[in-house]
Amino acid sequence: MKVRKAVIPAAGLGTRFLPITKAVPKELLPLMDRAAIQYVVEEAAAAGIEQVIIVTSRGKEAIADYFDRHLELEGLLAAKGDTERLSQVKHLSEMVELTYVRQPEQLGLGHAILCASAAVGDEPFAVMLPDDIIMAEKGAIAQLLEVFDRYEASIIAVQEVHGPEIQSYGVIVPEPVSEGIFRVLGTVEKPALADAPSNLGIVGRYVLTPEIFDTLTRVTPGAIGEIQLTDGLALLLQSQLMYALRLQGVRYDVGNPLGLLKASVELALQREGIGPAFMEFLEQLVE
Ligand code: UTP
């Protein structure tokens, strides 16, 4: 069955970026000259996803503005003959069909995904966390969709995590199936290094069967009422097979300032017209 829709949960408060996130949604912080979330929507479009559902919240209306047409600006650029910028601006609204749903209260990632249930309906769908920017030859979600085609079951993206870093990840209990593919026997949230069942940490890309919605409604909320996706996955595992794919590519956690900076540097070095001059600057800086 073709996966047509992707959900991007973007309703979080982004407290690690305060004070900027008081006025600017974290997802619009720039990686070079583009909003971070643009890379994720582009990854979805490149994988053949037709509709992206962005879960937003109060104060994040600028995300919809970013992807919307801006006819006055387009007219201005056309009149100036600036075709390159014109196509960059138009590209934003042409990639995929975008739908927005609101999460009225920050009750966790699982709850944010539940808010998209009516928009997704009864079909498998992708979940893409905009905090994770994955630079890979083949996009991360395209890699997962390939595995979904084979197994028609929920697929979680994982990456090898070394040392004590594992303590900040959800970690899978894996059973190897083939190169880079594992059956998921269980998940453990943020284990102590000594208790980690593997070094395979969950990263922010999933393909999920629609049964996750019913499962999320059955999750016992945490202390402040939040519904965690990992709890939903653990419940889903009781009734369905689930697989994990070790992603190819380099992942940047742009949900924190250092990660955003690292991704910016990497992209700047790759960017034509800027890369060599930036490298020169970096070399002078470390001398
Ligand atoms: P995070 O735990 O990183 O939360 O959420 P956050 O609010 O974005 O950032 P900090 O921790 O306060 O700095 C992981 C993902 O889940 C979404 C976030 O937008 C992010 O993409 N999320 C989280 C929601 O959509 N709603 C929630 O209630 C919580």
Side-chain angles (χ1 to χ4, degrees):
M1 187 174 184
K2 181 166 161 50
V3 175
R4 301 183 304 130
K5 301 181 182 183
V7 175
I8 301 183
L13 293 173
T15 50
R16 282 168 289 172
F17 277 104
L18 280 170
I20 186 68
T21 41
K22 202 164 157 262
V24 180
K26 172 173 77 170
E27 297 75 17
L28 292 186
L29 293 178
L31 277 171
M32 295 291 294
D33 43 13
R34 288 170 208 167
I37 195 173
Q38 182 178 336
Y39 294 88
V40 182
V41 174
E42 281 172 347
E43 182 190 318
I49 295 283
E50 293 161 16
Q51 187 187 0
V52 170
I53 300 146
I54 301 183
V55 185
T56 67
S57 55
R58 175 172 298 280
K60 293 202 158 189
E61 295 76 15
I63 296 178
D65 286 343
Y66 183 75
F67 288 107
D68 204 1
R69 298 281 307 266
H70 188 327
L71 295 179
E72 197 184 337
L73 179 64
E74 287 174 25
L76 218 81
L77 291 169
K80 281 208 305 189
D82 192 343
T83 49
E84 195 184 322
R85 289 202 175 86
L86 179 61
S87 77
Q88 279 171 6
V89 166
K90 286 175 79 172
H91 164 72
L92 288 168
S93 59
E94 288 168 348
M95 286 184 279
V96 284
E97 182 192 339
L98 281 159
T99 305
Y100 299 89
V101 299
R102 304 262 288 205
Q103 184 186 26
E105 251 185 298
Q106 270 82 14
L107 291 179
L109 174 58
H111 181 261
I113 292 169
L114 260 183
C115 292
S117 64
V120 171
D122 190 23
E123 56 183 285
F125 63 105
V127 172
M128 306 172 76
L129 301 197
D131 281 355
D132 283 334
I133 302 277
I134 297 143
M135 297 182 196
E137 221 162 280
K138 176 176 228 161
I141 209 67
Q143 294 178 41
L144 288 190
L145 289 176
E146 232 175 59
V147 181
F148 179 82
D149 279 346
R150 202 172 327 156
Y151 294 99
E152 301 255 316
S154 293
I155 321 280
I156 307 178
V158 292
Q159 280 201 324
E160 278 176 7
V161 180
H162 301 290
E165 270 272 282
I166 197 82
Q167 297 172 159
S168 50
Y169 284 79
V171 180
I172 63 162
V173 185
E175 180 183 274
V177 173
S178 60
E179 178 58 31
I181 300 178
F182 307 86
R183 207 182 127 195
V184 179
L185 302 180
T187 62
V188 183
E189 192 57 18
K190 303 189 173 134
L193 180 57
D195 302 332
S198 70
N199 66 351
L200 296 171
I202 299 175
V203 302
R205 297 289 183 275
Y206 310 80
V207 176
L208 300 174
T209 56
E211 286 76 22
I212 189 71
F213 293 123
D214 173 59
T215 310
L216 284 170
T217 60
R218 290 190 284 116
V219 162
T220 311
I224 50 164
E226 74 279 14
I227 297 174
Q228 302 299 351
L229 176 60
T230 36
D231 292 341
L233 293 175
L235 265 184
L236 190 62
L237 254 180
Q238 293 177 5
S239 58
Q240 290 190 354
L241 289 178
M242 196 177 286
Y243 295 87
L245 171 70
R246 191 170 57 220
L247 284 182
Q248 308 285 341
V250 181
R251 168 179 159 263
Y252 292 93
D253 177 3
V254 301
N256 69 80
L258 180 60
L260 185 79
L261 192 61
K262 286 180 182 173
S264 302
V265 168
E266 173 77 50
L267 283 165
L269 288 171
Q270 287 171 13
R271 180 69 68 88
E272 212 179 307
I274 290 181
F278 186 49
M279 178 57 104
E280 210 173 293
F281 165 76
L282 290 178
E283 280 166 357
Q284 281 166 8
L285 205 63
V286 293
E287 259 170 26

